[in-house]
């Protein structure tokens, strides 16, 4: 089922999850254990991130060597498992960076054969490597370009014109939104205009970057509505679990950690930080659900312990079965 249908048909709050594939050569077993843990909570859909190749410098006896490496392949295989073994709707992320439009089309064809009906169209971060585009091939630049390509396929228009018997694909397309603005955008208003472009191009819902203060989410939603964005905006949350997160999360995701949360974490013993993060996230979920937000998305990546604690804690509110 499409994400948008899940949202429309929901009779109770929906909690969805996002996972990251293991590093190249890594064992899938631990991710399968995470899947076993989280499927108990009946998520309507599970997102799997995607990763393009990046530049890595390695020190070797012959000097420093530059290598181009795709650290985390596996999005397609994991999505196939989620969709067809766990019978949960998989949402693969599709990137513009690092992939030609031709590769994207092939990927979308593989997904449609697997019965996957949802994708999150994302530009991807600058990995320091810009893949050369072979002659005769082309590349999307922004996430909006990618949305347009998928919409074209949904209308039966593939890259090769005059394909005989071209079947329209049937993807529900999600895109990103940044309540504290994307780091490259000059301001939130401009950034939201580009979200509007993605929605006007055919995106059916938005998932937000993580935030730790619900006020920034509600402000973002208000501004999006004023701009004429009327699709669902799913809040994305990440449970803070370590003191290092106080530095890494703002550094990597360009978001703010509120004073109260940071002060509490700084003052606590390391072994208590996860409980503080779980309690904070529980209160965020409570605040969102109390304002009739129908769905919350958790970035859990590869660790199910904090989300299990949170789901136990949330039962107190009797809002989630
Ligand atoms: C929900 C979510 C999931 C993610 N999943 C992944 C993942 O799986 N893999 C991964 O590598 N990264 C992922 N990311 C991170 C994402 O790749 C980065 O934040 C990236 O820098 C931007 O991607 P985007 O799709 O938001 O880009 P876009 O929507 O294309 O926007 C990027 C920037 O360009 C600006 N912009 C857009 N259109 C124009 C235009 N026409 N002219 C000028 N400026 C413009 C925007 O304001 C913004 O500053 C995810 C982020 C989120 C929020």
């Amino acid at each position: 089922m499409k994400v948008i249908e899940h949202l429309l048909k929901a009779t109770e709050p929906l909690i969805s999850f996002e996972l990251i594939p293991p590093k190249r050569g890594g064992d899938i077993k631990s991710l399968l254990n995470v899947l076993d843990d989280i499927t108990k909570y009946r998520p309507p859909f599970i997102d799997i991130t995607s990763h393009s190749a990046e530049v890595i410098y390695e020190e070797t006896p012959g000097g420093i060597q530059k290598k181009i490496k795709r650290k985390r392949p596996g999005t397609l295989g994991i999505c196939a498992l989620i969709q067809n073994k766990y019978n949960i709707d998989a949402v693969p992320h599709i990137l513009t960076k690092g992939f030609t439009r031709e590769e994207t089309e092939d990927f979308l064809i593989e997904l449609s054969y697997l019965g996957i009906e949802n994708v999150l169209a994302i530009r991807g971060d600058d990995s320091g490597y810009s893949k050369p585009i072979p002659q005769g091939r082309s590349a999307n630049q922004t996430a909006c370009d990618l949305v347009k390509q998928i919409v074209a396929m949904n209308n039966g228009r593939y890259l090769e014109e005059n394909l005989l018997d071209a079947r329209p694909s049937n993807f529900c397309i999600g895109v990103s939104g940044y309540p504290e603005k994307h780091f490259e955008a000059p301001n939130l208003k401009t950034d939201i205009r580009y979200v509007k472009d993605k929605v006007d191009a055919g995106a059916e819902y938005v998932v937000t970057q993580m935030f730790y203060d619900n006020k920034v989410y509600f402000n973002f939603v208000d501004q999006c509505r004023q701009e004429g964005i009327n699709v669902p905006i799913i809040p994305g949350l990440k449970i803070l679990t370590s003191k290092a997160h106080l530095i890494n999360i703002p550094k990597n995701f360009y978001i703010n950690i509120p004073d109260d949360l940071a002060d509490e974490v700084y003052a606590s013993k390391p072994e208590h930080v996860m409980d503080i993060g779980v309690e904070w996230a529980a209160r965020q979920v409570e605040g969102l659900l109390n304002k009739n937000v129908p769905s919350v998305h958790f970035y859990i990546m590869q660790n199910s312990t904090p989300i299990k604690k949170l789901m136990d804690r949330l039962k107190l509110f009797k809002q989630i079965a």
Side-chain angles (χ1 to χ4, degrees):
M1 194 155 87
K2 294 181 171 181
V3 167
I4 195 73
E5 290 169 329
H6 281 292
L7 295 171
L8 289 173
K9 289 182 181 165
T11 53
E12 59 181 28
L14 303 178
I15 307 281
S16 56
F17 303 121
E18 183 157 322
L19 302 177
I20 185 170
K23 282 196 181 143
R24 182 175 290 276
D27 195 347
I28 187 72
K29 270 193 202 137
S30 60
L31 196 73
L32 295 181
N33 290 338
V34 171
L35 268 170
D36 287 336
D37 282 341
I38 62 173
T39 48
K40 288 180 202 136
Y41 304 117
R42 293 181 285 118
F45 57 89
I46 298 177
D47 279 50
I48 300 292
T49 60
S50 185
H51 303 271
S52 57
E54 52 194 281
V55 176
I56 294 170
Y57 292 93
E58 277 180 9
E59 220 171 321
T60 67
I64 292 179
Q65 275 196 357
K66 181 181 173 185
K67 289 191 174 167
I68 310 297
K69 196 160 140 186
R70 195 168 170 218
K71 266 198 210 158
R72 292 181 191 272
T75 304
L76 182 65
I78 297 166
C79 284
L81 277 175
I82 292 173
Q83 186 80 26
N84 294 313
K85 178 176 172 216
Y86 291 89
N87 294 315
I88 293 173
D89 285 302
V91 186
H93 293 188
I94 305 205
L95 304 184
T96 66
K97 274 200 190 281
F99 299 91
T100 64
R101 298 174 81 225
E102 290 73 14
E103 286 164 334
T104 297
E105 184 172 287
D106 289 353
F107 191 59
L108 291 166
I109 291 170
E110 304 279 3
L111 296 175
S112 65
Y113 289 172
L114 286 166
I116 291 170
E117 297 180 294
N118 298 288
V119 290
L120 194 80
I122 293 287
R123 186 193 71 181
D125 274 328
D126 185 4
S127 63
Y129 172 60
S130 189
K131 186 167 133 174
I133 310 295
Q135 213 180 359
R137 304 211 143 205
S138 55
N140 291 311
Q141 295 305 320
T142 64
C144 189
D145 297 336
L146 180 56
V147 172
K148 287 178 185 162
Q149 180 181 0
I150 304 166
V151 168
M153 252 182 89
N154 279 350
N155 289 319
R157 280 185 283 114
Y158 288 64
L159 295 176
E160 191 183 324
E161 284 173 20
N162 309 322
L163 267 190
L164 289 178
D165 229 6
R167 298 288 161 102
S169 56
N170 186 27
F171 291 108
C172 169
I173 308 165
V175 289
S176 63
Y178 298 82
E180 295 177 63
K181 95 171 181 68
H182 183 261
F183 69 99
E184 292 166 24
N187 53 53
L188 186 59
K189 198 174 169 59
T190 309
D191 204 22
I192 286 175
R193 283 203 193 116
Y194 293 128
V195 176
K196 172 89 165 38
D197 287 348
K198 294 189 278 191
V199 172
D200 287 349
E204 291 175 83
Y205 69 98
V206 175
V207 183
T208 76
Q209 180 59 281
M210 65 193 75
F211 55 88
Y212 289 89
D213 178 351
N214 287 356
K215 283 202 286 297
V216 300
Y217 167 78
F218 290 121
N219 173 54
F220 178 69
V221 173
D222 282 350
Q223 291 206 41
C224 285
R225 300 303 180 223
Q226 279 168 29
E227 197 59 40
I229 298 170
N230 295 314
V231 299
I233 300 176
I234 302 175
L237 298 180
K238 180 176 171 68
I239 303 170
L240 190 142
T241 57
S242 71
K243 290 199 177 207
H245 271 163
L246 291 179
I247 295 164
N248 296 339
I249 289 176
K251 183 175 156 201
N252 294 328
F253 302 105
Y254 306 91
I255 62 162
N256 188 52
I257 310 255
D259 292 352
D260 291 358
L261 176 57
D263 289 349
E264 203 179 344
V265 170
Y266 276 129
S268 78
K269 291 191 172 151
E271 60 271 28
H272 295 149
V273 174
M274 189 186 295
D275 288 336
I276 294 169
V278 166
E279 184 56 31
W280 189 273
R283 277 189 258 129
Q284 278 195 278
V285 173
E286 184 187 37
L288 291 164
L289 298 185
N290 284 344
K291 289 214 172 168
N292 298 323
V293 172
S295 170
V296 180
H297 185 71
F298 271 98
Y299 297 105
I300 63 174
M301 311 328 264
Q302 292 198 333
N303 181 5
S304 54
T305 307
I307 196 76
K308 283 195 289 188
K309 282 178 176 249
L310 177 76
M311 295 308 260
D312 282 349
R313 165 71 176 76
L314 284 174
K315 275 191 199 120
L316 295 175
F317 303 136
K318 304 222 181 308
Q319 279 166 317
I320 292 161

